[in-house]
Amino acid sequence: THFRWHNRLTNTLAFGHYNGSLSFFYQSKKCQKNCLIPENTQENAENIVIAVEWDILSDDYLLAANAVTGTRLIDSRSLTALMQFKLPSTSSHIHTLAWLKNAPGMFVTGDTESGVMRIWNVSRQNPIENITVKVTVGFHELSVLDTPYEENYDEPPSSPSKANGSVALPPARIVCTFADGGVGLYNLEQRRWEFLRDLGHIETIFDCKFKPNNPNLLATASFDGTIKIWDINTMTAKYASPGNKGIIYSVSWAPADLNCIAASTAKSGAFIWDIDKVKMIRRFTEHLSLDATGVQQTNMLATGCDDKRIRVFILTTNSETPLKIFSGHVAKVFHVRWSPLREGLLCSGSDDSTVRIWDYTQDSCVTALKGHIAPVRGLIWHPEIPFLLISGSWDSNIRIWDVRDGACIETILDHGADVYGLSIHPQRPFTLASCSRDSTLRIWHLSAFSSRIYASLLANRPWNEILGTAEDAMVAEQQQTLLCGPMSRQLRANFGSETNNQNMKLRSFSEFLLPPVGVKNCWTLLDVILRDNDSLLPTDYSDGIMHMKHISKYKISQAQELESIKMSKFAGGIGNTSKEEKLKQAADLYLKLGHMQKYCELLIEIGEWDKALAIAPSVSIVFWKSLTERHAKYLAKEDSEDCLPYYIATGNYENLIKLLKSKARLHEAVLIAQIAQTNPVSYEESGITGKHLPSLKTKTNPSNKALLDSTTELLADRYFTSGQPVMAANCHLSNDQYDLAMSKLIMGNELELAVSVGMALKGHCSSEYFETAGFGDRNFTSSKKFEAMAGLSNIEHYDKKSKSENLSVTERIENYILSSSPGDALDVGISTIKDMISKKNWNVDEVYELIQYLSCVRTEKLQDSSCTRQRSELLALASIVGAIISVRMRYDSLVRPLFLNAKSLMQQENLELPISVMQINAFILAWQSRILSSKDEAPTVLLSDDLDNMRLDDHKQRQILDDLYQLAGKASNECLRGRVICAGSSYPSHSDVKYCSVTDSRIHGSAFFLENGQSCMALNNAIMWALANPFSPLNSGALINPF
């Protein structure tokens, strides 16, 4: 049942068996088999070994836990049980255990039926501490991370018991998993969760369905016998059904506002679960053996069966004979789906790995979609685009098909196992949910389609270029993707023929086209900023990020609601010792002598802080404040929540916020910072009903505004680095930091939303952000000029004009590009760039602008064999300039790859450029030393790359690095400096393991494929590369456009 290799002795192995015994296997000595069976095992047939762990500090000792008789300390050499550990109750059982690596002789166990973690010492039979970390469910597994112990010599010596009477626990971080799929990281010393996801599935997820009248909720059905209800905004499970004795294969939400779910199971028929009552209200035990799946359209029912056929029935007749039978699949048909937008069009998924499209009116298979290599399970039509079909398969892939020509538009490989369920958000048709045997639920955004439609809306294009009929959309030559579904038509009807209310239009369509996380919250914050009307706040406003002016009001309202529930707090005393007794006697003497200050100080020594603080004002208020600050600091070190009132009483908000930040409790830190900025609030005691907030009397404290701003920025950065740029922008909007909000949207590549927010804010934010968001492609300036020139004259005109000597360099390049000899633009541009770089103090921005112009030369011209050397020079120069731009913009991960790309081109083509290969090597070494150095001193570095064995001493490194920073210059807007992090960048991949061709690091989140269709980059890196260098890193001359 269990086995463990020895931690230090190779070829030493311990086994635990079903009969409760242990076996020890050695390479160099006799093995011991089926020994150490616990007493009374025959009476306990289920007394299997459930855990075995070798002592990390011993060659012979190990812990073994049995399901019924509990845990023993075993000596494997003498084959004896040294200690039988006893649980507090006979109803308690151990399920998992692990040694505490920083505390010799101590280990931790997790219970089977409850989330009780017990701390043990091998010298005692009973646990030294019991901690309930989860109430409703038992442990699945726990593991102690390797956390180095750091002794704090600044802290005063303390007793082994804390002030509240609990035992001081060793430093340890424990990964805990639970039977309900929950997982968390527990800090044992501080007795708190550093991370906790309460619920999750632990087995295959077969089905997922959005709730029709509240599509922010998503239900899943699993092999583990449970239904989970997920909030897709936070991706956390809010509800879980009681465990079912059988697999749950499918779920269906009840109609209207009934908060119930029907589910079908493998063994127990079907049941209905009432979510509000948290119980099953009805079970159907008549179990039918179904071998078909069927779907209905108007009066027609289609079924797919084990006999490989699809049958269509007319429901208005009493005949049981199908009207039509379609044949073509060579294996079982698992799913059939009618198109919601085209009458008579039907798709089917089969175990033969194909998806087939059938036209009921033509009695034939229109298209066979081939690409999957395993049975097809998930199948769904897009509700707005009639030619889009999405399928999921046992090959772990999700494929998006264009049924007009049978092409697979996109393949999603991120799931690690069979894909079963697919569901589209009822109000956001470009948000897709999928579930899999890898036990994950994933939310996808079909941005390739929604971005084009959003761009048309932002450009205020006519409605007939956005909306259309299914027949129009099915035309293969149609350039624009048209929306044809009922949701888009309803949105169009809401605006009538007038489009004056642009903000409302952008809000409605952004919530329609964009993924759900943070978008609604963003528009609510914009309403608060622009309208200043609290009566319009939605009921779920407090679930998201609130504006700073509402946080205090809401918290007071919340406190008043809870005021009727008061809990007593009992604190245990510290055990008396001889030392403490002597200190008490000394304190009594000082008290009788009238030395109150000494009396208070000795009370503190013995832990009687409350008494000391009560007496301290008799000395002075200054003394009381100093003691209060000391007490707060002491409590903070002890990780006690009681430090909060003392910090606030003394006005020490900075340390309190620092403490909350260290615990990653940033939302509370923002609240404290806001209180500090406005001074403690007073409020009028008036009845609070419904969602109305109390009126506050605030007094602004400008000196703490910086504290509020920095705390808000830290919370925003937390969201941003975790791949949630919209939530990061919402943090800044809540604090009226409009420019920072725009910068987070831009750097998160949420350009459409950034334009919408910029249009809504208008004069509130800088126009620079609006322009940057609206035109992610840096070619805008030059392309706008070309657009203005296009069609005005013939090629001969530009041939003649390009020869004029009165034109500037940029004007000559423009005319050459539009002339019959665009290659001449390369000669002029490259020659000019070389001359500029040859100067001592050359301007990177001027060179960068010329490179942007030259990137407008047609790709086919650049790729022509006659332009090989010109192309190589241009690409090398673009990479050098791109590396310097990356230094300026803090695209740190791309500086070295861009320099190496330039060096490679120069060596391959023997290019002679003003910046030599040796200079590039020096730049790379100096930059790498900056990355490798953990302190201010930069070490001498020799890289393993082919850098001609160049060595740089400390002084030379600093000098070159200073030159590089000076050459890069400062960014025009500091808020736009820093790496780009797109939504979902931190999510793991499973089967879809890709490596970035530029950085050679594993890609998390979305990948961007380059022009050869094989090489790819992380989307974050691709965007930063395009902002620094317009040309692809494959050096083909093609442009890179990941926007």
Side-chain angles (χ1 to χ4, degrees):
T1 62
H2 240 74
F3 73 92
R4 283 290 183 273
W5 290 100
H6 198 284
N7 299 300
R8 296 198 307 272
L9 302 179
T10 58
N11 302 316
T12 299
L13 184 64
F15 279 92
H17 303 293
Y18 276 100
N19 65 358
S21 67
L22 298 171
S23 296
F24 301 96
F25 292 85
Y26 310 96
Q27 184 180 31
S28 57
K29 61 181 181 178
K30 182 180 177 181
C31 300
Q32 304 292 336
K33 300 180 181 179
N34 295 300
C35 53
L36 294 164
I37 298 178
E39 297 180 4
N40 302 322
T41 293
Q42 292 181 351
E43 301 174 7
N44 300 291
E46 301 296 327
N47 196 26
I48 66 173
V49 176
I50 56 172
V52 176
E53 292 292 343
W54 288 97
D55 187 345
I56 55 178
L57 299 178
S58 169
D59 292 343
D60 305 318
Y61 293 167
L62 75 157
L63 291 169
N66 293 77
V68 177
T69 55
T71 307
R72 297 174 293 164
L73 178 64
I74 303 293
D75 184 344
S76 62
R77 183 184 295 272
S78 63
L79 297 180
T80 57
L82 303 178
M83 178 73 77
Q84 175 72 52
F85 301 98
K86 296 181 180 179
L87 288 165
S89 169
T90 56
S91 62
S92 302
H93 300 286
I94 299 299
H95 188 75
T96 179
L97 59 82
W99 289 98
L100 292 175
K101 301 177 182 179
N102 290 328
M106 296 183 69
F107 64 97
V108 59
T109 62
D111 279 15
T112 302
E113 301 296 334
S114 63
V116 178
M117 182 188 295
R118 305 184 194 275
I119 316 302
W120 307 76
N121 192 300
V122 293
S123 63
R124 296 175 56 179
Q125 281 190 322
N126 300 316
I128 61 175
E129 190 72 308
N130 303 298
I131 307 172
T132 301
V133 296
K134 198 172 172 69
V135 177
T136 57
V137 71
F139 279 85
H140 176 66
E141 198 72 46
L142 56 78
S143 176
V144 179
L145 298 182
D146 291 320
T147 306
Y149 175 69
E150 296 180 2
E151 187 170 354
N152 190 347
Y153 295 99
D154 296 330
E155 290 191 19
S158 60
S159 66
S161 296
K162 290 198 170 189
N164 61 3
S166 59
V167 176
L169 298 176
R173 300 167 77 215
I174 304 173
V175 178
C176 306
T177 59
F178 299 94
D180 63 357
V183 61
L185 180 63
Y186 191 78
N187 189 313
L188 185 62
E189 183 183 30
Q190 299 179 3
R191 300 170 184 255
R192 66 178 179 88
W193 288 109
E194 293 186 6
F195 162 81
L196 176 64
R197 187 197 69 186
D198 275 327
L199 296 171
H201 286 296
I202 59 175
E203 263 292 354
T204 302
I205 306 175
F206 286 112
D207 195 15
C208 57
K209 293 287 192 308
F210 284 99
K211 188 175 184 181
N213 64 337
N214 183 9
N216 286 329
L217 297 181
L218 180 67
T220 53
S222 173
F223 188 96
D224 62 19
T226 65
I227 300 171
K228 300 287 194 298
I229 311 297
W230 303 80
D231 182 340
I232 63 170
N233 289 302
T234 59
M235 286 308 291
T236 56
K238 299 186 68 174
Y239 310 100
S241 69
N244 179 69
K245 295 180 180 178
I247 304 166
I248 302 179
Y249 281 116
S250 62
V251 289
S252 179
W253 287 93
D257 58 352
L258 297 175
N259 203 21
C260 298
I261 288 182
S264 62
T265 71
K267 295 180 180 179
S268 306
F271 64 86
I272 296 176
W273 174 44
D274 189 314
I275 299 171
D276 295 329
K277 297 179 180 178
V278 198
K279 67 177 184 179
M280 296 178 190
I281 58 175
R282 190 169 181 183
R283 184 176 288 278
F284 306 92
T285 56
E286 291 293 330
H287 182 68
L288 300 177
S289 177
L290 299 176
D291 63 351
T293 61
V295 292
Q296 182 178 347
Q297 184 183 49
T298 60
N299 294 321
M300 292 190 295
L301 176 70
T303 63
C305 306
D306 273 349
D307 64 1
K308 311 169 191 176
R309 292 186 174 92
I310 295 101
R311 293 170 172 82
V312 179
F313 299 86
I314 300 296
L315 301 181
T316 54
T317 66
N318 294 324
S319 173
E320 296 182 0
T321 303
L323 186 65
K324 293 191 178 181
I325 299 177
F326 295 121
S327 300
H329 284 295
V330 295
K332 179 177 74 174
V333 178
F334 192 83
H335 265 319
V336 287
R337 292 283 185 268
W338 289 106
S339 169
L341 299 176
R342 295 195 65 210
E343 189 171 355
L345 201 65
L346 178 72
C347 69
S348 59
S350 168
D351 282 7
D352 65 9
S353 306
T354 68
V355 178
R356 289 180 177 266
I357 311 299
W358 311 87
D359 190 334
Y360 173 80
T361 61
Q362 298 181 15
D363 296 343
S364 63
C365 175
V366 178
T367 310
L369 307 178
K370 298 180 180 180
H372 287 298
I373 57 174
V376 177
R377 286 297 178 260
L379 205 57
I380 192 168
W381 289 95
H382 194 275
E384 288 286 337
I385 303 176
F387 58 80
L388 278 191
L389 179 66
I390 306 166
S391 62
S393 167
W394 279 3
D395 62 11
S396 78
N397 295 349
I398 298 172
R399 289 180 178 265
I400 302 175
W401 307 89
D402 185 337
V403 300
R404 295 176 297 185
D405 56 7
C408 179
I409 302 173
E410 187 171 355
T411 303
I412 303 171
L413 307 170
D414 280 18
H415 274 297
D418 315 350
V419 177
Y420 280 97
L422 298 172
S423 184
I424 288 181
H425 196 288
Q427 296 173 3
R428 299 174 183 267
F430 295 93
T431 297
L432 170 73
S434 64
C435 57
S436 165
R437 189 167 61 86
D438 64 11
S439 78
T440 66
L441 171 69
R442 295 178 180 241
I443 308 295
W444 312 91
H445 180 224
L446 307 180
S447 57
F449 303 96
S450 63
S451 296
R452 301 173 195 169
I453 298 167
Y454 207 152
S456 297
L457 285 164
L458 293 173
N460 219 12
R461 304 299 298 173
W463 284 110
N464 61 4
E465 295 185 15
I466 300 170
L467 306 180
T469 64
E471 289 71 24
D472 293 336
M474 290 297 289
V475 177
E477 292 77 18
Q478 176 70 251
Q479 296 294 320
Q480 183 68 31
T481 301
L482 299 178
L483 298 174
C484 311
M487 291 177 284
S488 58
R489 288 198 298 269
Q490 182 60 47
L491 284 174
R492 170 70 178 89
N494 292 342
F495 296 103
S497 58
E498 299 294 330
T499 57
N500 294 332
N501 194 348
Q502 183 72 353
N503 285 357
M504 185 60 68
K505 175 182 173 184
L506 291 175
R507 173 173 186 162
S508 298
F509 273 93
S510 66
E511 293 183 358
F512 174 75
L513 295 169
L514 298 180
V517 179
V519 175
K520 181 181 178 182
N521 190 188
C522 179
W523 284 103
T524 301
L525 288 168
L526 289 174
D527 281 344
V528 171
I529 294 167
L530 300 174
R531 298 185 183 183
D532 198 23
N533 187 347
D534 290 354
S535 64
L536 299 176
L537 296 177
T539 55
D540 59 351
Y541 173 49
S542 61
D543 294 340
I545 294 173
M546 294 185 291
H547 196 275
M548 291 300 167
K549 66 182 181 181
H550 291 146
I551 292 180
S552 302
K553 296 181 180 181
Y554 174 77
K555 292 299 179 182
I556 289 173
S557 176
Q558 189 179 38
Q560 289 180 338
E561 290 177 7
L562 295 172
E563 194 172 4
S564 59
I565 306 173
K566 297 182 179 180
M567 299 179 63
S568 299
K569 184 176 180 181
F570 300 96
I574 302 176
N576 293 331
T577 64
S578 58
K579 178 181 179 181
E580 290 177 358
E581 190 62 35
K582 290 179 180 179
L583 289 175
K584 279 187 177 182
Q585 293 173 4
D588 287 339
L589 284 174
Y590 279 122
L591 176 63
K592 294 172 183 177
L593 292 170
H595 288 261
M596 304 307 296
Q597 185 169 340
K598 280 284 189 180
Y599 175 69
C600 292
E601 289 173 351
L602 286 176
L603 288 177
I604 291 171
E605 288 291 329
I606 59 178
E608 295 186 8
W609 280 96
D610 291 342
K611 188 183 291 187
L613 292 172
I615 302 298
S618 66
V619 180
S620 70
I621 294 298
V622 174
F623 178 67
W624 169 83
K625 187 174 182 178
S626 68
L627 285 190
T628 305
E629 289 177 344
R630 283 173 58 189
H631 189 37
K633 186 177 180 181
Y634 170 82
L635 292 171
K637 286 183 178 180
E638 293 292 309
D639 200 48
S640 171
E641 298 291 331
D642 293 336
C643 67
L644 190 146
Y646 296 103
Y647 273 138
I648 294 178
T650 56
N652 197 342
Y653 297 107
E654 186 172 351
N655 280 342
L656 177 55
I657 291 172
K658 183 179 179 181
L659 174 67
L660 292 174
K661 288 179 181 178
S662 69
K663 294 174 175 292
R665 291 160 59 179
L666 297 181
H667 288 281
E668 295 175 52
V670 170
L671 170 63
I672 297 298
Q674 195 272 338
I675 294 297
Q677 194 261 333
T678 59
N679 278 341
V681 299
S682 61
Y683 60 92
E684 299 174 357
E685 293 243 15
S686 57
I688 298 177
T689 59
K691 65 177 182 178
H692 296 290
L693 301 174
S695 58
L696 297 180
K697 297 178 180 178
T698 61
K699 181 180 178 182
T700 302
N701 186 351
S703 63
N704 285 323
K705 182 65 168 66
L707 190 60
L708 174 62
D709 291 345
S710 64
T711 308
T712 304
E713 289 169 21
L714 183 62
L715 178 59
D717 288 342
R718 171 69 60 83
Y719 277 117
F720 185 71
T721 54
S722 66
Q724 301 183 72
V726 178
M727 295 299 290
N730 291 347
C731 291
H732 291 306
L733 287 175
S734 72
N735 195 32
D736 297 331
Q737 297 171 314
Y738 309 126
D739 287 355
L740 288 174
M742 290 291 290
S743 71
K744 287 295 190 294
L745 292 174
I746 293 168
M747 295 170 68
N749 201 36
E750 300 288 342
L751 301 183
E752 296 89 352
L753 185 58
V755 173
S756 301
V757 172
M759 293 171 69
L761 289 173
K762 294 181 180 176
H764 290 79
C765 64
S766 170
S767 60
E768 178 183 356
Y769 293 99
F770 179 74
E771 292 172 1
T772 305
F775 307 103
D777 187 348
R778 297 298 180 89
N779 285 335
F780 168 68
T781 302
S782 54
S783 63
K784 187 169 69 172
K785 292 181 181 179
F786 293 146
E787 183 180 347
M789 298 167 66
L792 296 179
S793 304
N794 54 29
I795 291 179
E796 288 75 15
H797 168 80
Y798 297 110
D799 285 340
K800 181 178 180 181
K801 192 173 181 181
S802 61
K803 301 296 191 294
S804 174
E805 296 181 357
N806 298 324
L807 298 177
S808 65
V809 172
T810 55
E811 289 174 332
R812 289 182 65 191
I813 292 174
E814 289 174 2
N815 284 280
Y816 272 128
I817 290 175
L818 296 171
S819 71
S820 60
S821 54
D824 292 343
L826 295 174
D827 293 331
V828 173
I830 292 172
S831 175
T832 304
I833 291 172
K834 286 182 179 179
D835 292 341
M836 295 170 69
I837 293 179
S838 299
K839 299 176 182 178
K840 183 177 181 181
N841 296 317
W842 57 282
N843 188 296
V844 174
D845 292 320
E846 294 176 358
V847 176
Y848 181 71
E849 183 182 8
L850 286 180
I851 289 174
Q852 292 293 326
Y853 274 102
L854 294 178
S855 70
C856 296
V857 175
R858 293 190 302 275
T859 301
E860 56 268 26
K861 178 61 181 177
L862 275 176
Q863 293 176 339
D864 190 272
S865 58
S866 62
C867 294
T868 300
R869 188 169 186 81
Q870 293 168 306
R871 180 180 68 246
S872 298
E873 288 185 333
L874 174 60
L875 297 180
L877 291 168
S879 292
I880 293 171
V881 173
I884 297 170
I885 292 290
S886 296
V887 171
R888 172 196 293 178
M889 299 304 296
R890 288 173 48 194
Y891 302 158
D892 294 351
S893 62
L894 295 185
V895 174
R896 183 166 164 271
L898 280 161
F899 274 134
L900 288 174
N901 190 57
K903 174 187 170 183
S904 174
L905 285 165
M906 293 171 67
Q907 291 178 330
Q908 289 175 10
E909 301 294 335
N910 294 319
L911 303 179
E912 295 292 335
L913 298 178
I915 294 180
S916 66
V917 170
M918 184 173 293
Q919 285 177 285
I920 291 177
N921 284 340
F923 281 145
I924 294 172
L925 281 170
W927 181 258
Q928 192 72 7
S929 71
R930 168 196 171 276
I931 301 298
L932 294 176
S933 179
S934 59
K935 298 183 179 180
D936 292 336
E937 298 81 11
T940 301
V941 176
L942 174 62
L943 296 183
S944 60
D945 301 301
D946 180 18
L947 297 179
D948 306 320
N949 293 323
M950 177 182 286
R951 287 184 180 271
L952 296 176
D953 60 27
D954 176 75
H955 175 73
K956 190 65 174 177
Q957 284 176 23
R958 290 183 180 276
Q959 183 179 357
I960 294 173
L961 200 57
D962 289 341
D963 292 343
L964 187 58
Y965 281 129
Q966 183 176 0
L967 189 59
K970 294 184 177 180
S972 59
N973 192 323
E974 284 294 316
C975 294
L976 293 176
R977 290 183 71 211
R979 59 191 179 123
V980 170
I981 303 179
C982 301
S985 299
S986 60
Y987 295 154
S989 298
H990 284 280
S991 59
D992 186 21
V993 178
K994 299 189 182 76
Y995 286 85
C996 182
S997 60
V998 171
T999 63
D1000 200 32
S1001 57
R1002 182 169 176 171
I1003 295 174
H1004 293 281
S1006 300
F1008 176 78
F1009 283 87
L1010 300 174
E1011 62 270 19
N1012 65 358
Q1014 297 178 343
S1015 303
C1016 61
M1017 303 173 66
L1019 182 58
N1020 298 342
N1021 286 335
I1023 292 172
M1024 291 187 289
W1025 184 287
L1027 293 172
N1029 177 4
F1031 296 102
S1032 164
L1034 296 183
N1035 297 324
S1036 65
L1039 299 178
I1040 179 172
N1041 184 18
F1043 299 102

